[in-house]
């Protein structure tokens, strides 16, 4: 569709949104809310029209191309009923039966691309009880509309506290780390830090360019290397961890919650690879793309604040990839999995402290200006294809939520259209942390990978308990 009048356009489409909705990449976010009570869909249409659509103009816009060949957001009339789906399953079956039906439905939904002729979102209401919930609500929203941070902000605008709707939902406070190693203002400490920063930045930037263009990960039990994985079904599998236990590990090791769960996931992945390699030690070269939110934020802002010009935590897509090499299993990490967490934490901390992600973003922008957004999107696609997996996480509210008087028992999210065999997402909610495996169906044994990650977490927990006993 081509615009005839410039004023018909709401706003230019950002470069990142163009990359994520191109011939090379077409990513969507599947947000899943599990309700404690059966779903009453009688107020769905007015709720979507009066609460969801006003959150952001992009929920009422489509992408069009203007007379100069530039993509823009154009405001359109939204037929809400065209975006809301209520599937029909066999009646009066067991929750276990509906578990399988729901998983198949979610898997098929992940393969379907959102139509470009209407705003890029859908809502699916599953009115059948599963083992986890009395009903399930699925939000499918194109990644071009916003990243996980933006969409979580939108979700919080629709939801209320279950215990007291008049009070706002709150999120865990994110405190900056305090460096207690002393005064770093002396030249003897400042100069080495500057040289270290420069070296790490150049090294990480060049390494990122190599991995995004020339160097592929080895084929392994978590990377099939096949073309067109993004068009294949995934097997979404979730697992739940106690935030209390994670915080205990965090306090004992002096790391972050993200370090703990990422370390457990990477250790569990290595255990799975070893098991699938029939017990032999698997030394495959594997890289995880760990998503980094590049906003200068400490907590979620209101939607009103996020859409302001020059907002500190703006709406949209503001993230970067950290290339994190999976540490190999050696005898010491098998005996003491804490070492695996510390290795993973050191790698991620060093990567985060360099400026390579900003150089990479600038490089992609140069590619866009010289060769167009499709070529830039192909570069990002190649970055993902050459790696083995992606890990991304979000912070959820600490209070139980409610949507139109439907208390939310649990929530999780997954990414559809990822050209990798394995995509892992993490979100916290109340006192739990939910991990979702988006595994290539028919290639990765999702249940076995799940059990390996759960076992890795238990190994870490036991090691921490032993360490606490030794200190006492």
């Amino acid at each position: 569709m081509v615009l005839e009048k410039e004023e018909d356009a709401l706003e230019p489409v950002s470069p990142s949104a163009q990359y994520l909705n191109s011939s090379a990449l077409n990513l969507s976010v599947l947000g899943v809310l599990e309700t404690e009570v059966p779903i009453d869909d009688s107020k769905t249409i007015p709720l979507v029209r009066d609460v969801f659509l006003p959150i952001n103009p992009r929920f009422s816009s489509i992408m069009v191309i203007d007379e100069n060949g530039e993509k823009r957001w154009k405001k359109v009339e939204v037929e809400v009923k065209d975006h809301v789906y209520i599937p029909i399953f066999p009646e009066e079956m067991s929750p276990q039966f509906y578990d399988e039906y729901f998983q198949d439905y979610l898997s098929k939904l992940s393969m379907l691309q959102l139509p470009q002729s209407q705003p890029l979102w859908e809502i699916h209401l599953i009115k059948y009880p599963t083992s986890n919930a009395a009903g399930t609500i699925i939000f499918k929203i194109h990644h071009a509309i916003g990243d996980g941070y933006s969409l979580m902000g939108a979700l919080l605008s629709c939801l209320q506290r279950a215990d007291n709707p008049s009070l706002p939902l709150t999120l865990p406070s994110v405190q900056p780390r305090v460096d207690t190693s002393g005064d770093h203002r002396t030249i003897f400490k400042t100069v080495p830090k500057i040289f270290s920063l420069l070296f790490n930045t150049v090294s990480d930037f060049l390494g990122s360019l190599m991995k995004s263009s020339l160097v592929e990960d080895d084929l392994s039990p978590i990377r099939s290397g096949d073309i067109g994985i993004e068009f294949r079904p995934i097997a979404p599998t979730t697992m739940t961890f106690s935030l209390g236990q994670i915080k205990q590990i965090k306090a004992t090791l002096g790391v972050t919650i993200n370090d703990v769960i990422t370390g457990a996931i990477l250790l569990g992945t290595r255990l799975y690879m070893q098991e699938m390699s029939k017990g032999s030690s698997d030394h495959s070269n594997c890289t995880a793309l760990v998503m980094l939110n590049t906003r200068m934020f400490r907590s979620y802002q209101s939607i009103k604040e996020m859409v302001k010009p020059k907002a500190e935590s703006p709406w949209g897509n503001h993230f970067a990839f950290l290339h994190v090499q999976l540490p190999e299993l050696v005898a010491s990490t098998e005996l003491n999995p804490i070492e695996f967490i510390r290795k993973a934490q050191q790698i991620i901390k060093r990567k985060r402290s360099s400026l390579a992600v900003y150089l990479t973003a600038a490089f992609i922008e140069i590619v866009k200006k010289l060769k167009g957004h499709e070529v830039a999107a192909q570069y990002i696609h190649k970055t993902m294809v050459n790696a083995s997996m992606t890990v991304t996480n979000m912070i959820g509210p600490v209070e139980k939520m409610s949507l139109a008087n439907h208390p939310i028992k649990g929530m999780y999210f997954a990414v559809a259209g990822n050209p990798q065999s394995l995509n892992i997402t993490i979100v916290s909610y109340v006192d739990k942390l939910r991990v979702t495996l988006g595994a290539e169906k028919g290639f990765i044994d999702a249940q076995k990978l799940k059990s390996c990650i759960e076992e890795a977490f238990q190994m870490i927990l036991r090691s921490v308990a032993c360490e606490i006993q030794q200190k006492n």
Side-chain angles (χ1 to χ4, degrees):
M1 186 185 298
V2 179
L3 289 178
E4 295 180 358
K5 296 181 180 180
E6 184 72 18
E7 59 266 24
D8 288 337
L10 177 66
E11 62 176 324
V13 176
S14 69
S16 57
Q18 294 186 53
Y19 307 151
L20 296 170
N21 189 22
S22 63
S23 61
L25 278 176
N26 198 314
L27 302 181
S28 297
V29 178
L30 300 174
V32 181
L33 301 179
E34 298 169 331
T35 65
E36 289 186 351
V37 298
I39 294 175
D40 175 9
D41 63 345
S42 62
K43 298 181 180 178
T44 300
I45 300 299
L47 185 68
V48 172
R49 184 184 60 240
D50 301 335
V51 179
F52 181 74
L53 291 183
I55 289 174
N56 192 288
R58 293 184 192 178
F59 291 126
S60 304
S61 304
I62 61 173
M63 276 193 191
V64 294
I65 301 174
D66 67 14
E67 63 273 13
N68 298 317
E70 295 294 326
K71 287 188 175 183
R72 293 180 176 274
W73 292 107
K74 180 184 178 182
K75 188 91 170 179
V76 296
E77 289 294 325
V78 180
E79 290 289 344
V80 175
K81 60 182 177 58
D82 294 337
H83 294 261
V84 178
Y85 298 84
I86 305 176
I88 303 299
F89 296 168
E91 296 289 342
E92 297 182 0
M93 306 300 287
S94 68
Q96 291 72 28
F97 176 88
Y98 291 127
D99 285 345
E100 187 174 342
Y101 255 74
F102 173 74
Q103 290 298 323
D104 287 344
Y105 187 85
L106 195 59
S107 181
K108 291 174 182 175
L109 182 61
S110 70
M111 290 192 296
L112 299 176
Q113 295 188 355
L114 291 164
Q116 299 288 320
S117 59
Q118 62 186 35
L120 300 170
W121 59 270
E122 293 174 352
I123 297 174
H124 299 253
L125 306 179
I126 314 298
K127 299 175 66 175
Y128 300 92
T130 63
S131 298
N132 292 326
T136 310
I137 305 169
I138 306 171
F139 289 84
K140 183 174 184 179
I141 303 175
H142 202 288
H143 219 312
I145 291 179
D147 56 14
Y149 175 87
S150 298
L151 300 181
M152 177 64 79
L155 192 63
L156 295 180
S157 298
C158 298
L159 297 162
Q160 299 173 313
R161 280 179 60 158
D163 60 344
N164 190 340
S166 64
L167 296 176
L169 288 162
T170 57
L171 294 110
S173 59
V174 183
Q175 300 295 332
R177 295 184 189 179
V178 179
D179 194 335
T180 58
S181 56
D183 187 0
H184 293 276
R185 289 174 293 181
T186 65
I187 190 170
F188 298 105
K189 293 181 179 180
T190 302
V191 172
K193 280 183 173 291
I194 292 174
F195 276 110
S196 176
L197 174 64
L198 291 175
F199 177 82
N200 289 340
T201 297
V202 173
S203 174
D204 290 344
F205 176 63
L206 294 178
S208 175
L209 289 182
M210 292 289 290
K211 285 185 173 291
S212 297
S213 53
L214 301 174
V215 181
E216 293 185 25
D217 278 5
D218 296 333
L219 299 183
S220 70
I222 62 167
R223 182 175 184 268
S224 66
D226 293 343
I227 297 173
I229 293 174
E230 58 266 44
F231 305 113
R232 296 181 181 178
I234 62 173
T237 305
T238 71
M239 64 194 89
T240 303
F241 297 97
S242 163
L243 269 175
Q245 291 180 329
I246 293 174
K247 289 176 181 178
Q248 180 186 8
I249 298 171
K250 165 185 175 288
T252 303
L253 302 184
V255 296
T256 66
I257 289 176
N258 192 44
D259 291 333
V260 174
I261 195 61
T262 303
I265 288 170
L266 299 186
L267 175 57
T269 301
R270 277 295 188 189
L271 292 173
Y272 170 81
M273 293 169 66
Q274 180 173 277
E275 188 169 337
M276 297 304 290
S277 300
K278 297 183 173 52
S280 63
S281 181
D282 189 290
H283 298 288
S284 301
N285 175 39
C286 290
T287 306
L289 296 177
V290 177
M291 302 292 286
L292 173 68
N293 187 333
T294 56
R295 297 173 177 86
M296 299 300 293
F297 81 110
R298 303 319 303 171
S299 62
Y300 290 100
Q301 290 187 322
S302 67
I303 298 297
K304 185 178 179 180
E305 292 294 323
M306 290 168 66
V307 298
K308 284 183 178 179
K310 298 182 180 179
E312 288 186 0
S313 299
W315 181 281
N317 287 281
H318 300 272
F319 64 87
F321 294 123
L322 297 180
H323 286 84
V324 176
Q325 196 78 14
L326 267 69
E328 288 191 21
L329 281 180
V330 294
S332 62
T333 54
E334 288 174 354
L335 293 173
N336 184 7
I338 289 176
E339 291 302 315
F340 201 94
I341 281 191
R342 289 191 169 126
K343 283 183 181 179
Q345 188 253 358
Q346 289 168 4
I347 295 170
I348 294 173
K349 183 178 180 181
R350 192 188 71 78
K351 295 276 185 178
R352 288 175 69 97
S353 64
S354 84
L355 303 176
V357 293
Y358 303 102
L359 290 181
T360 301
F363 174 79
I364 294 173
E365 181 64 20
I366 292 171
V367 171
K368 174 186 173 291
K369 288 180 178 179
L370 295 178
K371 297 187 177 182
H373 75 271
E374 285 289 345
V375 175
Q378 290 169 11
Y379 178 85
I380 298 172
H381 181 271
K382 185 71 171 174
T383 299
M384 300 175 78
V385 167
N386 286 359
S388 296
M389 59 191 286
T390 298
V391 180
T392 182
N393 69 82
M394 289 194 297
I395 300 171
V398 297
E399 299 95 6
K400 182 176 286 187
M401 305 180 295
S402 178
L403 176 61
N405 296 318
H406 291 69
I408 304 302
K409 182 179 180 181
M411 71 179 212
Y412 59 94
F413 73 103
V415 177
N418 188 339
Q420 295 174 307
S421 297
L422 181 59
N423 180 58
I424 299 179
T425 57
I426 309 161
V427 65
S428 63
Y429 178 50
V430 192
D431 58 352
K432 303 293 182 185
L433 197 98
R434 195 79 169 266
V435 176
T436 305
L437 308 178
E440 181 185 349
K441 206 168 186 176
F443 175 68
I444 293 178
D445 186 336
Q447 290 300 322
K448 183 171 287 188
L449 176 57
K450 173 183 175 179
S451 65
C452 287
I453 293 175
E454 289 175 334
E455 174 57 27
F457 184 77
Q458 291 302 318
M459 290 168 61
I460 294 166
L461 201 58
R462 289 193 294 268
S463 295
V464 166
C466 290
E467 191 161 299
I468 292 174
Q469 286 181 349
Q470 290 174 359
K471 289 181 179 178
N472 294 336

